[in-house]
Structure formats: structure tokens, C-alpha cells
Amino acid sequence: MTGITHIRYPIAALACWIAFAYTLVPLLRGHRRNAGLTALCVSFGCQGMYLSMSTPVRWTGTLFGTITWYNVSVQLWIIAVLASQQILLIHWMYPRDEARARARRRMLLLAVVPVTMVVLFFLATLQGPPRNVFKHPGDQPFFVAYQAAYLTAFVIGKVLVARACRHFAKLTDHAWVRRGLRIAAAGAVVELVYPAGRYADVFLTQYGWNPLRWSDVSRTTLTIGMVLNIVGWTAPLWGPRVSAARSWLADYRSYRQLRPLWLALHQAHPEISLPSSTGSDLSALYDLRFHLHRRVIEIRDGCLALRGHHGVPGAVLSPGRGAAEKRHAELEAAHIAAALAAGPRVPELVPEGRAEALPHEDLPGTDSAPVPAAGGPDFSADVAWLVQVSRAFARVRPAVARAGQ
């Protein structure tokens, strides 16, 4: 083992055990019948065992020296990882009853691999201590067969996992499951560098291949692939929380960006705000969604108040489409800024007795035209549109105020 292994393997092992604990908790809370989650937990545990057992130099022997049964057990943990990942995908892809039948058949098939490895290694020990030096492969045929069986099972297992992940990713509607499966598939592909390097160690050393030069490369890619597996397989568990955090941050950013428009309308018409409202952005940290809804409503109420004073549409209109949207937002912001700068309009005095003769819609502040929705029925689109208007308002208001002086 080289010095890099002392850093690489412990970190990867720690990540595996954290993922193992993360998936074990829901199992202990009553999801024991969830076969897919059980297989995922087992997979992380097996990866953690492999990486933990591979770390100490004094336990595993020299990299290209004598091979012991301990080294065989380490590789059997990798086979267990491949088996548990395939069982997991089977339970994800098929109904429960069919998945159980397929999983049993797959387990019986996969059981042939460790049995074959153990038998071949035992036969290899009868010819002397197996060594990871293959300048003359014919000197230890059973150990070469052992390596070929292990590496072939590794390649087949990873190819099956990568293909199944990519296939299932196209079928699922769950965004984080889809992303996780794609990451896991990428991890399985990266891990294929490891058996390629080991194949070369076994069969190309006699032709000048230098195993020591590529040992760190193959084992590093194995570790990277395992980390990608951890990220991919756990993505459905932690991914929704990431999305919720991103949504919260986006809401808070929108809440702050609406402040210039809201504050100007609030100063002109304080009645639009709740009596308990402080107007502080920090006060919205608690129950942000409510405060964001409230700010949108108060902006609309302020625009309605402007309309009542000026007799023209002062509420935020529906946005345009494409390039016209930005221009529309600027025009709307300029209109609001001009209305605020002009102040309340004083209604003309109507001689007594003529009020009855005037049509109802001609009276100041009684325009009966409906106020268009700011962004349509979608609240998110509504917020996005109001944010554009608020940004434009912050830019144009100083110019409008100077022009009115």
C-alpha cells in the first residue's frame, strides 16, 4: 500500500459507514419490510467493510507480495456489494412478488461466484503461497483462474448495475431518484477502470506491463466510483431536503427583492400592511412562505390603492412574453413610480344635482375594470413577475423623482 491509501481508504470508509447509518435508521424505525432499503443498507455496510479492511498495511500484506485468506475476504465483500446493488435494483424495477422471485434466482446465481473463488484459492494454496506477481502466470494457474473469476464477476456486476440504473432512470418520475441513478451508473462505469488495471497486472506483466505504476490509478478510481455510488444511492433520501433548502433560499431572495416596491407602496399607503408587520427581512425567516404570500398581497393592495387615486390601471399588469416581458416590467415600474411621485389626485368638485346624471364609471376612483392577475394563477410565476417589476422600479424611481421636481 502506498501513502495515498492511508488517506483515500479511511475517508471513503467513513463515508460508507455514514451512509450505512443513514439508511439503517429508517429500517430500525419500522421499515424492515422494505427489501430495497435493506439491500441498500447492506450494500453500504459491505463497502464500509471492504474499505475498512483494506486500510491497515499490517493486516492486508504487501500489495504485490503474499496473498492470504484475509485478502480473499476483502474481495468477497466487493462481491457482496455487487449482489446487494443488483437485488436493490430488482426490487425497484419490479412489483413486490415478482421482485422477490427474481431476487432469489439472482442470489442463487451470484452465490456461484464466492464459492468458485474460495475453491480456486484453496487449490492455489496447495501449490504454495499465492503471490500477486504474474511474470509467469503458468506457475500458479489456480490463482490466475481465481483472479479471472473475481475480475470477470466484478465487470459483469458493474455493467449490469450501470445498465439497470440508466434504464430505470428513464422510467422514474422522481427527480432525485433519476439523478441518483445516473450518478450511481457513472460510479459503476468509473469503477471498471479497476478490473481493467488488474486484468493487465495478471495477463500483461509478462509483456512489460508495470503493475506498480498503475496500482494507485486503478484503486483510486475504485474509491471514486464507490463515493459516486454513495452519493447516487442516497440521493433519494437527502435530495428532497436539498431541493427544499434551495426553494427556501429562492423564496427568501424573492422576498428581499420585492422590498423596494413593497416599501414604496407601504409608505404611500400604510393601510396595506398588517398591524403586526415590521417590514424587516429578518422577521420573515420564520414562516417565510406566509410572509412571501403576504408581501405579494400587500403589493397588489398598494397597486389597487394607486388605481383608486389615479383612475388608471395602477396595479401590476400581466407580463408579456419573451423579450417583451422585461420591457413590460420597466413600463409598469415607471408607471408606479410616476403615480407615487404625483401623490393622490384631488377629485374635481361636481355640482350638486349632477352626480346622479354622471355615469357610474366616470366618477374618480370607481373604475370597474377588473385588475389583471400579476403573473397568472401560478404563484411562483406571479412572484417572478413582481420581482422583475420591483427590480425595474428600484432603477427607474430615482429618475422619475428627479423629473417630477
Side-chain angles (χ1 to χ4, degrees):
M1 295 288 179
T2 59
I4 191 174
T5 301
H6 294 289
I7 301 174
R8 181 181 62 220
Y9 280 5
I11 293 176
L14 178 61
C16 285
W17 288 119
I18 292 175
F20 173 79
Y22 194 77
T23 52
L24 182 62
V25 171
L27 289 176
L28 297 178
R29 288 179 176 175
H31 294 82
R32 294 180 178 86
R33 294 184 177 180
N34 190 328
L37 187 60
T38 302
L40 181 60
C41 184
V42 171
S43 172
F44 290 139
C46 293
Q47 289 186 67
M49 287 298 298
Y50 158 73
L51 293 167
S52 299
M53 294 173 68
S54 300
T55 300
V57 177
R58 65 181 182 276
W59 291 358
T60 56
T62 58
L63 180 59
F64 295 102
T66 302
I67 302 300
T68 67
W69 281 102
Y70 185 89
N71 302 78
V72 177
S73 66
V74 171
Q75 294 177 341
L76 290 177
W77 283 115
I78 296 182
I79 299 301
V81 172
L82 294 173
S84 57
Q85 289 179 351
Q86 292 182 50
I87 299 303
L88 167 64
L89 288 169
I90 288 174
H91 280 281
W92 277 5
M93 294 176 66
Y94 300 99
R96 178 180 298 181
D97 294 338
E98 183 180 357
R100 289 178 177 176
R102 286 178 174 269
R104 284 193 294 268
R105 292 196 297 268
R106 185 63 61 87
M107 288 296 293
L108 291 174
L109 179 62
L110 292 172
V112 175
V113 177
V115 172
T116 302
M117 290 173 59
V118 169
V119 171
L120 289 173
F121 187 79
F122 175 75
L123 294 175
T125 58
L126 297 179
Q127 297 178 330
R131 296 181 61 84
N132 251 334
V133 179
F134 301 97
K135 289 185 178 180
H136 305 286
D139 294 342
Q140 43 182 358
F142 290 110
F143 188 57
V144 171
Y146 164 85
Q147 292 287 348
Y150 163 64
L151 295 173
T152 302
F154 188 99
V155 171
I156 294 175
K158 287 301 177 182
V159 170
L160 290 176
V161 168
R163 290 183 61 186
C165 286
R166 288 180 59 85
H167 174 72
F168 190 68
K170 298 177 182 178
L171 302 179
T172 181
D173 294 329
H174 194 293
W176 279 104
V177 172
R178 182 170 58 253
R179 294 167 187 162
L181 288 173
R182 289 173 177 171
I183 294 174
V189 172
V190 170
E191 286 181 281
L192 290 175
V193 176
Y194 166 75
R198 292 297 293 150
Y199 270 126
D201 294 345
V202 175
F203 298 106
L204 298 182
T205 301
Q206 56 184 321
Y207 300 108
W209 174 268
N210 186 354
L212 290 174
R213 179 179 298 177
W214 299 102
S215 61
D216 276 335
V217 174
S218 61
R219 284 162 176 77
T220 298
T221 55
L222 179 62
T223 306
I224 293 174
M226 286 190 171
V227 171
L228 290 175
N229 275 320
I230 295 172
V231 174
W233 293 120
T234 58
L237 301 177
W238 52 260
R241 299 183 181 182
V242 173
S243 295
R246 292 176 58 185
S247 178
W248 188 93
L249 290 174
D251 284 348
Y252 186 68
R253 183 167 58 250
S254 298
Y255 182 82
R256 294 192 60 185
Q257 291 172 340
L258 289 174
R259 181 176 178 79
L261 179 58
W262 171 86
L263 183 60
L265 293 171
H266 169 75
Q267 291 173 345
H269 301 281
E271 68 278 4
I272 66 175
S273 300
L274 292 174
S276 59
S277 177
T278 63
S280 172
D281 291 340
L282 294 178
S283 65
L285 294 177
Y286 176 75
D287 200 0
L288 176 62
R289 200 65 177 176
F290 166 78
H291 285 87
L292 182 60
H293 274 82
R294 187 63 215 174
R295 180 155 286 187
V296 169
I297 292 172
E298 290 174 358
I299 288 175
R300 288 179 172 178
D301 290 345
C303 291
L304 286 172
L306 286 181
R307 173 183 175 176
H309 282 297
H310 293 274
V312 292
V316 181
L317 301 177
S318 300
R321 292 292 182 267
E325 185 173 359
K326 182 177 180 180
R327 178 58 178 166
H328 195 172
E330 293 175 350
L331 291 174
E332 189 62 35
H335 174 82
I336 295 174
L340 289 171
R345 189 181 70 175
V346 179
E348 297 179 2
L349 295 179
V350 180
E352 185 177 355
R354 285 198 56 203
E356 297 82 358
L358 289 174
H360 179 68
E361 60 272 15
D362 290 340
L363 292 177
T366 60
D367 186 1
S368 59
V371 180
D378 185 358
F379 178 74
S380 298
D382 194 359
V383 172
W385 165 243
L386 288 174
V387 165
Q388 289 196 60
V389 175
S390 182
R391 289 176 177 174
F393 177 80
R395 293 193 301 267
V396 304
R397 190 186 188 191
V400 172
R402 287 193 299 268
Q405 292 177 353

